[in-house]
Amino acid sequence: MSFFGLDCRKKKDKEEERHLRANDREFNLTFQYATNAIKTSKYNLFTFLPMNLFEQFQRIANAYFLFLLILQLIPQISSLSWFTTVVPLMLVLAATAIKDAIEDFNRHKSDRQVNNRQVKVLMDGQLKSEKWRNIQVGDIIKLENNQFVTADLLLLSSSEPLSLVYIETAELDGETNLKVKQSLTVSGDMGDDCEALASFNGEVRCEPPNNRLDKFTGTLLFKEQKYSLDNDKILLRGCTLRNTEWCYGLVIFAGPETKLMQNCGKTTFKRTSIDRLMNVLVLWIFGFLAFMCIILAFGNGIWEYQKGFYFQVFLPWPESVPNPAFSAFLTFWSYVIILNTVVPISLYVSVEIIRLGNSFYIDWDRKMYYPRSDTPAEARTTTLNEELGQIKYIFSDKTGTLTQNIMTFNMCSINGKSYGEVFDFAGQRMEITERTPKVDFSFNRLADPKFVFHDHSLVEAVKLGTPEVHAFFRLLSLCHTVMPEEKEEGELLYQAQSPDEGALVTAARNFGFVFRSRTPESITVVEMGETKTYELLAILDFNNVRKRMSVIVRCPEGKLTLYCKGADTIIYERLHPACKTLKDVTTEHLDEFAGEGLRTLVLAYKDLEEGYFEDWKARHHEASTALEEREEKLDELYEEIENNLQLLGATAIEDKLQDGVPQTIEQLAKADIKMWVLTGDKQETAENIGYACNMLREAMNEVFIISANTAEGVREELRNARRKIKPETVEAETIIEVKQPRKKSTVLPEDTVDGEYGLVINGHSLAYGLEKSMEVEFLRTACMCKTVICCRVTPLQKAQVVQLVKKYKNAITLAIGDGANDVSMIKAAHIGVGISGQEGMQAVLSSDFSFAQFRYLQRLLLVHGRWSYIRMCKFLNYFFYKNFTFTLVHFWYGFFCGFSAQTVYDEWYITLYNLVYTSLPVLGMSLFDQDVSDRWSMEYPKLYEPGQLNMYFSIGAFAKCLLHGIYSSLILFFIPYGAMYDTMRDDGKDLADYQSFALLAQTCLLIAVSIQLGLDTAYWTSVNQLFMWGSLAIYFAITLTMYSNGMYLIFTASFPFIGTARNSLNQPNVWLTILLTTILCVLPVVAYRFIRAELRPTINDKVRYKVSQSKQAPPPQAARTRIRRTSSRRSGYAFSHAQGYGDLITSNRYLRRNMATFSPRAKTNSKQPGTVLKTYRAVKDTALDKTL
């Protein structure tokens, strides 16, 4: 067991196979399986302080300041008080510790909330309520409707027909449509008999814990019989039980070993590229500091050897200093203390404050608030804001992220006429908006009130009884695998295996062809108010090869008809030659639908002869019972009967995108951000969404499809693609050269490409592409493309793709998703974004930032990310400049004070310089500065590119700060030194003393760096003005106070600069020196910026000039009109159906009726209040339970 968060158990060997026995805790405990308690927190009460301090002192700067504090405690070398270091260090450590403690407390709170949920467990033959954390592997638990699944369970029995259950997997994959699971018959027969379940002692052997959500392999041994277990019999933690009164399950994996938690991965500490660069720069600064200290120490040794001997009378050496060499050694450490301000500890305090402030801006942004679900944007971490301004690659899930997972019936083509568009009186096509009049379906009492359609001509054709229109909707009401549920008469609810099938059946329902109920042998449809029952003779099921499904029915009049729907390319090959003219017209409509990004299906039918069908049915039965080549024989029979079809028309369904998705992707593409979609959907669906989202465009030179089933095939397809994109990259080399600037990372060189290309790759091909021998080949080809879509990928593959780009590309990555299957990807990327809302919260809990709609990503990156990056870069450049300038004056002064480690400035000025005098102005700039407003940032996405190229803060920019600091320090030392040298006051008294020089130098310094800050500030606010002028006023107020007679009399030792301020600052030559020094410091900066803006203006310069010309007028708003897109794509086919439901429906043992078949005319009362009346439920035949 874990004790205060520490795992006290002996670490067990890696699990190769899971072995457990039902209702036998003693047996299962011998394997030391994890309990159901989860732990996402990092610390506990006892480990917090040591672990947190250990983590903080891993930061080089913190360790350096601790070392500096130890040096300051040695009186022989310290010329500064110890409190000047210990107070800021304690503040930094305490602030960071408090922040970490709050974050971890929230994790503890979340863990307790989950672990303390209640569930019923079967113990000693009785059901007892128990907390989730106490559940163990091998326990049998009872779940009730709308309950979360406690752990990964083997389904034993349920209240439904033959132990069928419906589950919602939104927490796992973001999909809200229900999925069906079914238990083995041997366990399903136990029902809810507690005695039978308590005596169940089946042994399960299965795969060890893993993160594969779509796969499970195992066996159940019960009563000396072995039964095969697969994913259809497993309920995963995170799912929700729906439309099922109760079910029982055997715990297979618990707590951290569940597939949900396995997908969460290990929480890693993410650091920004600026953080990593700062660590490198800090090391360089330490080297520079050591170099300066060595020079000054050598100078001290030489000076003491040559000159110091003559000063022994006035300044005798301490007894502890026997010779000049040892004096030089002590001087080295003294200068380490004095010059430590090149890396002041206040830098890290300020960085944390800036990041916190920019995080609040994200939380407070009303333009990222989603009112429908009352969901604001949230910065869940405060350490990654500036990284949002440097994103180069975005990895996105599809379902629930780009789309709403809602299908709507938008358009159709029937007998050569297109329906769905709205025209005005002049015959001009109108844009459909919320104000467009909707079709009135009040004539149909069974219509779905949520269904919306705008073309009134279609409902008129239905009412007029047009035969082709009736045949069209009759096909939609019969050819499907939907299950109806009727809670009350007329209140129909369709349980569709795929949302697009549900949309088609709902469309037929509203246009007067209401699918009412089904049995294994019949389908009942209400056609224009008349109830008709069709005899269901066969279902020719859908699969990914056939790309179509058919049903054979006998109508009430006795006529046999085959109805078929599928991809246009497939159906067209099977049409009767007489349909050529209609086919050409329908193809034009299909091209229009595909151009609109809609998902299309073609509908056809065929009348069958009785004798032929009886012969075909006999041959079908023979093929379906064949022991060899069963699938091939069935396919031949399907091909035979699905021939010479009569074309009816086509449907066009919109896989409803989230609002603003195409526009957002278009804007991000203009910012040179590459978009990769990683989805578990099949190729046709993902490709269709790619076109709908503007990721794939007709204007692209080519879209490559990688779908080979062998490693060599994938390699050849990748090379062929690269050969078309840029032939010389294939011909010039066989092995790609990879730069290796550091041992830990490798960088793949960028390839410039003429034109735009897209890449679509399947999951099985991607598996080969991610192999070590081919990963560089795959990545290089993919990176040449503007858009990459990976289909049928597993959660692990999503993370692998992200890690591959991180490994070989010097670029910042962002992953965005909404389900548990996206968690590994979100954690692998530099930045993880979770979409919050109805699809589940698992991705949000693991993310760094979250919001409700994909379109907010545009504002997050182009506005908040860019501003945060620019503010942080300006802050760092200015901070390093002002501290180099401040510190290097000490270095030059060392050559004039005998290298004695005497400070230039007053000790109080040294203490307050970073803490008071210069802290608030730079924070004001770093929190409020904007180069352009948010509207202009969105209008010109190209403004984002400098962040991707690290143009504002890099080693080169740091070198400029250093050179600028060296120049300014020379001016700030030698101009005041020359001005004060042999200078007299107006009254003839001497002015050239050390204290007057120190006051003049520090005043010049503060005014010069304040003006430099003003030059760096692009957006002035009242807060900036207050901080700037307030800090200067505070400086003069504190200086005049501390240098007064009163302070000297009260604290003589602490305030020795008596009268210096009033004696110096009343002299005109002092103010003239301040003016001259300030001008010489800022003049080169002003000249350089002016010349650069004139000769080589950046995108920022151009946009800011345009803003100034517009005189604060808003940027032009592009008129957004709906433009019809033309498409050269052959098909817009996409259908998210899965194989197997046809067998499920026609199974003879699938039906449990509630006492009697539900009749639309007669209501049947349920025996239990609140029990949902269900018409029919599909279950699998017992033959599907394969024994070994």
Side-chain angles (χ1 to χ4, degrees):
M1 294 293 291
S2 62
F3 181 69
F4 293 113
L6 295 173
D7 197 352
C8 301
R9 298 174 300 180
K10 182 181 177 181
K11 191 173 181 180
K12 64 177 182 178
D13 298 331
K14 184 178 178 181
E15 191 174 344
E16 299 293 336
E17 180 188 64
R18 173 136 303 197
H19 182 201
L20 60 102
R21 186 181 298 158
N23 293 312
D24 194 341
R25 281 196 172 187
E26 187 177 349
F27 173 81
N28 298 324
L29 284 173
T30 60
F31 297 99
Q32 297 184 344
Y33 296 139
T35 65
N36 204 42
I38 62 166
K39 175 178 174 289
T40 60
S41 56
K42 292 168 64 178
Y43 315 109
N44 61 51
L45 197 61
F46 298 101
T47 62
F48 174 74
L49 192 60
M51 284 182 66
N52 190 262
L53 287 176
F54 176 75
E55 287 177 357
Q56 290 202 58
F57 281 116
Q58 284 184 319
R59 180 178 277 175
I60 296 172
N62 286 346
Y64 164 68
F65 289 119
L66 181 64
F67 172 70
L68 200 68
L69 175 61
I70 296 171
L71 289 180
Q72 285 186 290
L73 296 176
I74 304 173
Q76 286 81 1
I77 62 174
S78 178
S79 54
L80 292 173
S81 302
W82 60 271
F83 63 82
T84 59
T85 298
V86 73
V87 173
L89 179 61
M90 291 298 292
L91 285 174
V92 171
L93 296 177
T96 307
I98 290 170
K99 185 191 76 171
D100 291 343
I102 292 172
E103 289 179 353
D104 206 58
F105 175 77
N106 290 332
R107 293 193 198 102
H108 275 286
K109 187 178 178 181
S110 176
D111 289 347
R112 282 196 299 270
Q113 182 181 356
V114 173
N115 290 332
N116 290 336
R117 287 176 180 168
Q118 298 287 324
V119 69
K120 293 179 180 178
V121 188
L122 191 62
M123 300 182 70
D124 302 324
Q126 294 182 337
L127 286 172
K128 297 180 180 178
S129 186
E130 189 62 85
K131 292 180 179 178
W132 276 28
R133 67 184 179 193
N134 297 327
I135 302 301
Q136 295 186 17
V137 171
D139 288 352
I140 293 179
I141 63 176
K142 180 182 181 180
L143 298 176
E144 296 178 344
N145 193 33
N146 296 326
Q147 242 184 335
F148 282 109
V149 178
T150 310
D152 288 355
L153 309 176
L154 169 64
L155 179 62
L156 296 179
S157 63
S158 82
S159 58
E160 301 308 301
L162 284 184
S163 300
L164 203 72
V165 298
Y166 294 91
I167 58 168
E168 183 182 281
T169 59
E171 288 283 349
L172 296 177
D173 54 19
E175 296 183 5
T176 53
N177 50 296
L178 301 186
K179 295 178 175 60
V180 180
K181 300 286 184 178
Q182 186 186 21
S183 76
L184 292 166
T185 306
V186 66
S187 61
D189 290 341
M190 293 186 289
D192 60 348
D193 185 350
C194 288
E195 290 186 10
L197 288 164
S199 61
F200 178 70
N201 62 351
E203 291 191 22
V204 174
R205 290 183 182 270
C206 65
E207 60 190 21
N210 59 75
N211 63 357
R212 295 190 296 271
L213 294 171
D214 57 348
K215 186 179 179 183
F216 180 84
T217 306
T219 59
L220 170 67
L221 179 63
F222 182 56
K223 295 182 179 178
E224 300 182 356
Q225 290 270 351
K226 261 190 180 181
Y227 301 90
S228 174
L229 303 179
D230 56 24
N231 204 47
D232 288 336
K233 300 171 181 60
I234 300 298
L235 306 182
L236 299 182
R237 178 176 179 142
C239 297
T240 308
L241 195 66
R242 300 291 190 201
N243 296 342
T244 307
E245 190 178 339
W246 52 261
C247 74
Y248 286 87
L250 172 66
V251 178
I252 305 293
F253 302 121
E257 294 177 343
T258 59
K259 291 181 183 283
L260 174 70
M261 298 304 295
Q262 291 280 309
N263 267 291
C264 289
K266 186 178 180 182
T267 301
T268 56
F269 178 63
K270 293 183 178 180
R271 307 186 68 180
T272 67
S273 56
I274 286 181
D275 269 337
R276 294 188 291 272
L277 178 59
M278 279 178 58
N279 269 349
V280 174
L281 294 179
V282 165
L283 290 175
W284 284 23
I285 291 171
F286 289 162
F288 180 60
L289 173 63
F291 173 72
M292 290 192 296
C293 292
I294 288 171
I295 290 176
L296 294 170
F298 269 109
N300 176 265
I302 294 169
W303 192 89
E304 290 289 357
Y305 180 76
Q306 294 181 349
K307 303 287 186 180
F309 176 79
Y310 301 106
F311 284 82
Q312 290 280 352
V313 177
F314 305 102
L315 294 171
W317 286 346
E319 295 180 2
S320 58
V321 183
N323 52 55
F326 193 72
S327 173
F329 173 76
L330 295 179
T331 300
F332 172 84
W333 295 109
S334 296
Y335 271 113
V336 167
I337 296 172
I338 290 173
L339 302 180
N340 79 84
T341 47
V342 286
V343 189
I345 196 165
S346 60
L347 169 68
Y348 292 95
V349 180
S350 302
V351 165
E352 293 300 324
I353 293 173
I354 293 166
R355 285 173 171 167
L356 184 64
N358 286 318
S359 297
F360 284 143
Y361 290 150
I362 295 172
D363 295 343
W364 296 337
D365 192 343
R366 286 191 172 188
K367 293 181 180 178
M368 295 173 67
Y369 169 74
Y370 191 58
R372 290 185 189 175
S373 59
D374 189 27
T375 307
E378 182 182 5
R380 298 176 57 83
T381 179
T382 60
T383 58
L384 302 172
N385 298 323
E386 64 270 17
E387 199 103 292
L388 290 169
Q390 299 177 274
I391 303 299
K392 183 68 177 178
Y393 290 89
I394 292 177
F395 301 92
S396 175
D397 178 40
K398 184 193 77 69
T399 305
T401 303
L402 300 178
T403 66
Q404 301 179 34
N405 200 32
I406 297 173
M407 306 292 179
T408 58
F409 182 86
N410 275 21
M411 304 175 79
C412 64
S413 172
I414 305 175
N415 196 33
K417 184 176 180 181
S418 178
Y419 296 95
E421 297 179 338
V422 179
F423 299 90
D424 59 17
F425 293 108
Q428 296 295 318
R429 183 174 181 273
M430 296 173 57
E431 182 181 356
I432 294 176
T433 65
E434 292 183 358
R435 297 182 179 180
T436 305
K438 301 173 185 176
V439 171
D440 181 13
F441 292 106
S442 59
F443 73 93
N444 180 4
R445 65 182 182 85
L446 295 175
D448 185 350
K450 297 178 183 177
F451 182 83
V452 175
F453 202 75
H454 298 91
D455 187 357
H456 292 74
S457 63
L458 182 55
V459 75
E460 292 301 324
V462 171
K463 290 179 178 178
L464 290 173
T466 308
E468 293 82 6
V469 175
H470 278 213
F472 181 89
F473 286 113
R474 184 177 295 113
L475 186 152
L476 293 182
S477 66
L478 294 172
C479 186
H480 56 78
T481 58
V482 173
M483 297 292 174
E485 182 178 320
E486 195 159 0
K487 298 181 179 180
E488 294 182 11
E489 186 177 357
E491 292 187 12
L492 277 170
L493 179 65
Y494 291 144
Q495 298 293 352
Q497 184 233 341
S498 61
D500 35 10
E501 257 217 330
L504 292 174
V505 178
T506 301
R509 168 186 174 180
N510 275 62
F511 284 102
F513 289 75
V514 184
F515 167 55
R516 194 69 181 268
S517 63
R518 71 156 74 242
T519 72
E521 300 85 15
S522 68
I523 299 176
T524 300
V525 178
V526 180
E527 296 184 1
M528 303 302 291
E530 182 183 351
T531 302
K532 292 186 178 181
T533 300
Y534 291 81
E535 184 181 352
L536 180 60
L537 301 173
I539 294 181
L540 284 58
D541 204 3
F542 174 93
N543 66 37
N544 286 328
V545 178
R546 285 170 41 76
K547 295 185 179 179
R548 64 190 185 278
M549 75 164 290
S550 301
V551 295
I552 301 174
V553 298
R554 189 190 305 275
C555 69
E557 293 80 19
K559 186 171 68 173
L560 287 174
T561 307
L562 178 144
Y563 291 109
C564 182
K565 67 181 181 187
D568 54 357
T569 52
I570 301 297
I571 302 296
Y572 279 0
E573 294 172 358
R574 292 158 176 80
L575 290 179
H576 193 278
C579 298
K580 186 178 185 309
T581 304
L582 179 57
K583 184 177 96 172
D584 293 340
V585 177
T586 305
T587 300
E588 291 180 11
H589 295 160
L590 284 171
D591 289 341
E592 293 176 5
F593 299 160
E596 295 287 345
L598 303 178
R599 302 165 65 148
T600 60
L601 286 174
V602 171
L603 311 185
Y605 74 98
K606 176 184 179 181
D607 292 327
L608 301 176
E609 295 180 2
E610 190 74 37
Y612 169 75
F613 176 71
E614 290 299 328
D615 176 63
W616 182 88
K617 185 177 179 182
R619 287 184 286 131
H620 179 269
H621 177 74
E622 183 180 342
S624 63
T625 55
L627 297 178
E628 296 180 357
E629 299 181 348
R630 179 186 301 176
E631 296 297 328
E632 291 79 0
K633 291 178 181 178
L634 287 173
D635 284 340
E636 288 179 11
L637 286 169
Y638 291 168
E639 288 286 342
E640 175 191 325
I641 199 168
E642 293 172 326
N643 208 357
N644 290 323
L645 302 174
Q646 297 294 322
L647 181 61
L648 272 175
T651 62
I653 291 177
E654 180 183 4
D655 187 357
K656 210 163 182 61
L657 296 174
Q658 289 193 11
D659 295 338
V661 167
Q663 294 83 359
T664 298
I665 291 175
E666 185 180 355
Q667 289 293 89
L668 294 177
K670 289 179 182 177
D672 199 27
I673 298 175
K674 293 189 177 181
M675 187 86 174
W676 292 28
V677 175
L678 312 178
T679 177
D681 276 345
K682 61 182 186 176
Q683 179 183 320
E684 293 89 350
T685 307
E687 194 176 340
N688 239 44
I689 291 298
Y691 280 100
C693 293
N694 287 336
M695 288 183 293
L696 299 177
R697 293 180 293 279
E698 298 298 327
M700 282 184 165
N701 297 59
E702 191 169 348
V703 176
F704 301 104
I705 308 295
I706 310 297
S707 57
N709 292 312
T710 64
E712 283 307 312
V714 172
R715 188 187 301 275
E716 189 57 33
E717 287 184 350
L718 290 171
R719 283 179 174 270
N720 287 339
R722 202 144 54 90
R723 195 174 285 114
K724 291 182 180 180
I725 298 172
K726 197 171 184 180
E728 57 268 27
T729 60
V730 178
E731 296 168 1
E733 40 75 29
T734 54
I735 300 175
I736 297 173
E737 294 293 332
V738 178
K739 296 178 184 177
Q740 192 165 346
R742 300 186 298 274
K743 290 183 179 179
K744 290 185 178 178
S745 65
T746 53
V747 179
L748 195 66
E750 289 288 344
D751 290 304
T752 54
V753 177
D754 295 327
E756 288 189 356
Y757 297 88
L759 181 75
V760 179
I761 184 169
N762 276 321
H764 54 80
S765 301
L766 182 63
Y768 294 114
L770 292 174
E771 289 179 355
K772 200 160 189 66
S773 60
M774 209 187 304
E775 59 182 14
V776 175
E777 185 81 42
F778 162 67
L779 183 63
R780 190 169 186 189
T781 305
C783 289
M784 288 181 175
C785 300
K786 189 76 174 176
T787 298
V788 178
I789 297 179
C790 302
C791 321
R792 292 295 191 197
V793 294
T794 64
L796 180 61
Q797 284 178 326
K798 289 185 178 185
Q800 287 174 336
V801 171
V802 176
Q803 288 163 350
L804 181 64
V805 174
K806 286 176 66 178
K807 180 179 178 182
Y808 288 110
K809 304 298 289 186
N810 187 20
I812 306 301
T813 60
L814 179 146
I816 179 169
D818 69 317
N821 57 342
D822 303 315
V823 168
S824 55
M825 171 179 74
I826 285 171
K827 289 192 173 182
H830 292 100
I831 302 283
V833 177
I835 300 289
S836 57
Q838 65 175 0
E839 293 84 6
M841 294 293 290
Q842 199 61 39
V844 171
L845 295 174
S846 303
S847 66
D848 305 305
F849 301 89
S850 68
F851 41 72
Q853 293 281 292
F854 180 85
R855 68 176 184 269
Y856 298 147
L857 182 63
Q858 178 183 357
R859 186 169 178 84
L860 182 71
L861 300 187
L862 300 186
V863 178
H864 291 287
R866 201 178 68 82
W867 280 351
S868 295
Y869 172 72
I870 291 175
R871 289 165 180 167
M872 184 60 71
C873 292
K874 279 189 174 183
F875 166 78
L876 293 173
N877 285 324
Y878 175 76
F879 210 93
F880 281 124
Y881 156 73
K882 78 179 181 69
N883 281 284
F884 280 138
T885 304
F886 172 81
T887 306
L888 289 172
V889 174
H890 286 298
F891 180 77
W892 310 125
Y893 183 61
F895 291 90
F896 292 83
C897 68
F899 306 96
S900 60
Q902 184 182 7
T903 59
V904 179
Y905 319 112
D906 171 24
E907 186 172 304
W908 283 102
Y909 181 84
I910 294 172
T911 304
L912 298 176
Y913 176 74
N914 282 309
L915 192 63
V916 176
Y917 299 150
T918 62
S919 60
L920 288 180
V922 69
L923 281 178
M925 179 190 71
S926 305
L927 289 173
F928 302 108
D929 200 47
Q930 302 172 12
D931 56 343
V932 294
S933 69
D934 57 340
R935 298 179 69 181
W936 287 95
S937 296
M938 301 277 275
E939 186 71 21
Y940 292 95
K942 284 288 183 184
L943 288 167
Y944 191 80
E945 290 186 11
Q948 298 170 326
L949 302 174
N950 284 323
M951 289 177 61
Y952 296 145
F953 187 71
S954 60
I955 293 176
F958 175 77
K960 289 180 183 177
C961 292
L962 178 58
L963 292 174
H964 189 193
I966 292 172
Y967 166 77
S968 297
S969 66
L970 286 168
I971 297 295
L972 288 165
F973 176 75
F974 286 102
I975 297 296
Y977 179 80
M980 296 290 289
Y981 192 75
D982 289 337
T983 300
M984 304 293 291
R985 284 171 45 85
D986 292 342
D987 56 7
K989 295 182 180 179
D990 189 14
L991 184 62
D993 62 281
Y994 160 71
Q995 292 185 349
S996 298
F997 170 73
L999 175 66
L1000 178 58
Q1002 66 195 34
T1003 304
C1004 289
L1005 170 67
L1006 186 61
I1007 293 175
V1009 298
S1010 296
I1011 293 177
Q1012 179 62 48
L1013 182 69
L1015 293 175
D1016 289 342
T1017 302
Y1019 182 71
W1020 285 93
T1021 66
S1022 56
V1023 177
N1024 292 81
Q1025 299 277 6
L1026 176 64
F1027 286 172
M1028 172 76 79
W1029 301 112
S1031 294
L1032 288 172
I1034 287 172
Y1035 164 71
F1036 284 108
I1038 290 177
T1039 300
L1040 291 170
T1041 301
M1042 289 196 305
Y1043 295 177
S1044 65
N1045 296 356
M1047 294 298 291
Y1048 175 77
L1049 293 173
I1050 299 172
F1051 306 102
T1052 304
S1054 299
F1055 299 98
F1057 279 48
I1058 179 174
T1060 304
R1062 65 173 180 267
N1063 289 335
S1064 298
L1065 295 179
N1066 62 359
Q1067 298 300 306
N1069 59 344
V1070 170
W1071 288 104
L1072 183 63
T1073 302
I1074 293 173
L1075 178 64
L1076 177 63
T1077 305
T1078 304
I1079 291 173
L1080 288 175
C1081 281
V1082 300
L1083 187 61
V1085 177
V1086 174
Y1088 169 74
R1089 292 184 181 180
F1090 174 79
I1091 294 170
R1092 187 197 64 185
E1094 289 296 320
L1095 301 182
R1096 296 181 61 185
T1098 63
I1099 180 67
N1100 292 64
D1101 295 329
K1102 295 175 182 177
V1103 174
R1104 290 181 65 186
Y1105 175 75
K1106 190 166 184 176
V1107 172
S1108 66
Q1109 292 295 309
S1110 69
K1111 296 181 180 180
Q1112 300 182 353
Q1117 294 295 319
R1120 298 194 178 275
T1121 57
R1122 187 180 177 190
I1123 301 171
R1124 177 183 291 279
R1125 297 184 297 170
T1126 58
S1127 172
S1128 60
R1129 288 194 292 146
R1130 180 70 183 86
S1131 171
Y1133 158 74
F1135 194 50
S1136 58
H1137 205 54
Q1139 185 178 3
Y1141 270 60
D1143 292 337
L1144 190 66
I1145 288 170
T1146 55
S1147 166
N1148 289 326
R1149 287 194 59 201
Y1150 100 105
L1151 180 64
R1152 186 192 74 169
R1153 311 183 187 211
N1154 290 328
M1155 301 301 292
T1157 303
F1158 178 83
S1159 170
R1161 295 182 177 84
K1163 295 178 71 172
T1164 304
N1165 295 325
S1166 175
K1167 288 186 177 181
Q1168 295 179 1
T1171 301
V1172 175
L1173 292 177
K1174 298 179 177 63
T1175 312
Y1176 304 106
R1177 292 301 178 96
V1179 299
K1180 294 184 179 178
D1181 194 280
T1182 52
L1184 295 178
D1185 299 337
K1186 301 174 185 177
T1187 56
L1188 298 179

